[in-house]
Amino acid sequence: MEPKEKDMHTVAASYFLVKQGLSDIEFYNDEIQFFRNLIDKYILLMVDQDNFSKVQEIGRQLLKIEKQKDDLKAVTLEFMSLLEHELKSPAAGDEEGIVETCNALQLKTTELSKTLRAFKKDLFAITEHLLNDEKLQHLLNRPAEDEPGTQHN
């Protein structure tokens, strides 16, 4: 394979990998929007004073993740643009630099995925806790005749 062909193959492969990473980032964006709505529209309505700080911390975590995602998306789009230009007008490019940048973006996308996974674990835990508290409160405040297995006369 000639050096120019090898460079183009590297650029094309990098473009494909970066495009896949961008697709992942877009999916994470959808997840983040869903979690924001879940927190704003439902969880905040269920939370009592005792758990408010936990929910606030979850909200702060989500903001950090969103910033991490936005920063990664911007860098990814910029690099994709560079790769598109390289595919349209091949020049004696820096094959090693392209591979390094592609690998770095993949690593950052993996880190974002891990961060988001840990966030979901925390969100699910606090949500389950709130639902259990709510269920407990509901059971404690329910009249005795509504108890399961109680016969009504």
Side-chain angles (χ1 to χ4, degrees):
M1 202 182 297
E2 291 181 25
K4 192 68 153 172
E5 266 183 62
K6 187 176 178 188
D7 288 350
M8 290 308 297
H9 179 71
T10 300
V11 171
S14 296
Y15 181 81
F16 174 78
L17 290 172
V18 170
K19 191 171 182 176
Q20 179 62 46
L22 186 59
S23 175
D24 291 344
I25 293 167
E26 291 297 331
F27 180 75
Y28 300 150
N29 186 64
D30 293 343
E31 281 189 315
I32 289 167
Q33 290 307 112
F34 174 79
F35 294 138
R36 178 184 308 290
N37 286 334
L38 181 66
I39 291 168
D40 290 347
K41 293 181 180 179
Y42 299 101
I43 293 178
L44 284 175
L45 296 176
M46 294 179 359
V47 71
D48 58 8
Q49 198 61 25
D50 296 337
N51 294 308
F52 190 75
S53 64
K54 291 177 187 175
V55 174
Q56 272 187 317
E57 179 55 33
I58 290 286
R60 282 192 288 273
Q61 284 179 19
L62 188 58
L63 288 173
K64 287 178 186 177
I65 292 169
E66 189 166 22
K67 179 170 179 4
Q68 181 183 2
K69 184 259 317 163
D70 288 344
D71 292 347
L72 180 57
K73 183 177 179 179
V75 171
T76 301
L77 287 171
E78 185 179 318
F79 186 60
M80 263 186 84
S81 178
L82 178 121
L83 292 174
E84 287 170 351
H85 178 72
E86 190 68 29
L87 286 169
K88 290 176 186 170
S89 308
D94 178 15
E95 182 180 339
E96 192 174 306
I98 288 173
V99 170
E100 274 182 32
T101 303
C102 185
N103 289 341
L105 288 174
Q106 285 181 306
L107 182 61
K108 287 182 180 186
T109 302
T110 300
E111 288 171 6
L112 177 61
S113 176
K114 288 178 181 178
T115 301
L116 195 51
R117 194 174 302 127
F119 169 80
K120 287 188 269 190
K121 187 176 179 180
D122 292 344
L123 178 63
F124 296 160
I126 188 71
T127 303
E128 185 174 26
H129 175 75
L130 292 172
L131 289 173
N132 287 338
D133 277 359
E134 179 69 20
K135 205 181 286 181
L136 240 159
Q137 288 300 319
H138 176 70
L139 290 174
L140 292 174
N141 294 330
R142 186 169 56 177
E145 64 265 12
D146 288 346
E147 290 294 325
T150 305
Q151 291 185 336
H152 298 279
N153 294 333

